[in-house]
């Protein structure tokens, strides 16, 4: 279950704050403390592109790109983490595409305000009661919150619905969405999908079989690099799919495991839909 979304500028200015369902009625974390903590985490860790933290009983999936930080609040279960990460990536890409320039302007203005406040800091100002504005969505982003953010947060099992057409295939053993990390790093599973039981080849479908996963990761890396390179260079759409067969992994009827890897855009980068 997803609880909400926070979009921050790199300097810690809250651009959007939206919570839904039972969490909206009784938030477990104070938004003022949470936004401050998330900014501190990103600063302290050097601002990784992707991270997951658990704060008390609430999971937080973090995605950062440039001057934007997107945090999706969720239950800390493994399946919900995957859904939260996928939602955060989608929101980061969509928000950045629509409001990148405006968000940068707001971030720069906030930095100037912080600098001005620091230069006028005195003992008297530090010991006076400070009025803290309530955390809320800025007016310019209210329509985005209503039309994009809240429908995504309330959408049941986002990852499952995206992969449902593949899972419906009679010969499908498992589908998943993976992220090609680049820089020689191994692919990470964004959404693992559900493995079908009952078929002998199903035990090999997933990231737990080294010989299969190594080949899948290599193919995914190649396809993703082509897709990203074509996107930045303006070249035509490259080959986005690869099919692999594993003759050594066969059932009693001599049907061997096949894997389809198809590259897709995820955020500003690329990942792959994998079908076993």
């Amino acid at each position: 279950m997803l609880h909400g979304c926070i979009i921050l500028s790199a300097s810690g200015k809250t651009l959007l704050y939206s919570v839904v369902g039972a969490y909206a009625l009784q938030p477990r974390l104070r938004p003022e403390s949470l936004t401050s903590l998330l900014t501190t985490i990103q600063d302290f860790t050097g601002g990784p592109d992707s991270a997951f933290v658990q704060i008390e009983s609430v999971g937080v999936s973090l995605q950062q790109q440039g001057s934007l930080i997107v945090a999706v609040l969720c239950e800390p279960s493994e399946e919900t983490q995957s859904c939260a990460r996928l939602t955060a990536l989608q929101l980061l890409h969509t928000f950045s595409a629509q409001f990148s320039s405006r968000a940068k302007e707001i971030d720069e203005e906030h930095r100037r305000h912080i600098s001005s406040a620091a230069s006028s800091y005195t003992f008297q100002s530090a010991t006076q009661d400070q009025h803290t504005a309530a955390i809320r969505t800025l007016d310019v982003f209210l329509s985005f919150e209503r039309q994009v953010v809240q429908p995504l947060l309330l959408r049941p099992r986002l990852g499952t619905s995206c992969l449902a057409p593949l899972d419906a295939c009679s010969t499908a053993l498992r589908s998943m969405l993976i992220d090609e990390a680049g820089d020689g790093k191994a692919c990470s599973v964004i959404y693992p999908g559900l493995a079908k039981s009952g078929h002998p080849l199903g035990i090999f479908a997933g990231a737990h079989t080294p010989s299969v996963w190594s080949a899948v990761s290599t193919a995914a890396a190649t396809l993703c690099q082509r897709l990203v390179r074509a996107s930045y260079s303006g070249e035509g759409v490259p080959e986005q799919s690869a099919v692999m067969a594993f003759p050594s992994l066969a059932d009693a009827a001599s049907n061997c495991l096949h894997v389809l890897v198809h590259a897709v855009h995820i955020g500003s980068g690329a990942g792959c839909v994998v079908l076993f």
Side-chain angles (χ1 to χ4, degrees), residues 125-141:
S125 65
T127 54
Q128 289 176 341
D129 290 335
Q130 301 293 318
H131 172 71
T132 303
I135 299 296
R136 56 179 291 272
T137 299
L138 299 183
D139 290 346
V140 67
F141 306 126

Side-chain angles (χ1 to χ4, degrees), residues 13-17 99 102 106 136-146:
K13 175 67 175 178
T14 302
L15 307 178
L16 183 148
Y17 176 77
F99 302 113
R102 185 71 183 101
I106 294 172
R136 56 179 291 272
T137 299
L138 299 183
D139 290 346
V140 67
F141 306 126
L142 282 173
S143 62
F144 183 83
E145 178 187 2
R146 289 192 301 267

Side-chain angles (χ1 to χ4, degrees), residues 156-221:
R157 301 188 68 176
L158 175 60
T160 300
S161 63
C162 292
L163 299 173
L166 296 178
D167 292 333
C169 296
S170 60
T171 56
L173 300 174
R174 185 174 198 171
S175 62
M176 60 174 55
L177 183 63
I178 65 174
D179 183 15
E180 197 286 300
D183 299 325
K185 298 178 182 177
C187 293
S188 58
V189 178
I190 297 177
Y191 198 86
L194 298 175
K196 290 184 180 178
S197 59
H199 196 287
L201 291 179
I203 62 173
F204 304 114
H208 56 277
T209 306
S211 59
V212 175
W213 193 244
S214 176
V216 168
S217 296
T218 300

Side-chain angles (χ1 to χ4, degrees), residues 209-234:
T209 306
S211 59
V212 175
W213 193 244
S214 176
V216 168
S217 296
T218 300
T222 301
L223 293 172
C224 288
Q225 289 164 10
R226 290 176 184 171
L227 186 60
V228 171
R229 187 165 55 246
S231 299
Y232 282 102
S233 66

Side-chain angles (χ1 to χ4, degrees), residues 29-46:
L29 302 173
R30 293 182 62 249
E32 297 82 6
S33 301
L34 178 59
T35 54
S36 176
L37 178 60
L38 294 179
T39 305
T40 302
I41 289 173
Q42 289 299 92
D43 288 342
F44 183 75
T45 58

Side-chain angles (χ1 to χ4, degrees), residues 87 90-91 94-95 98-99 142-154:
T87 302
Q90 186 170 358
L91 288 174
T94 308
F95 188 88
Q98 293 188 34
F99 302 113
L142 282 173
S143 62
F144 183 83
E145 178 187 2
R146 289 192 301 267
Q147 298 172 16
V148 179
V149 177
Q150 290 185 347
L152 276 179
L153 294 175
L154 294 169

Side-chain angles (χ1 to χ4, degrees), residues 23 40 65 80 112 124 133-134 164 167 184 233 261 271:
Y23 187 93
T40 302
Q65 178 184 320
T80 308
R112 289 193 293 270
Q124 182 178 3
D167 292 333
S233 66
V261 183

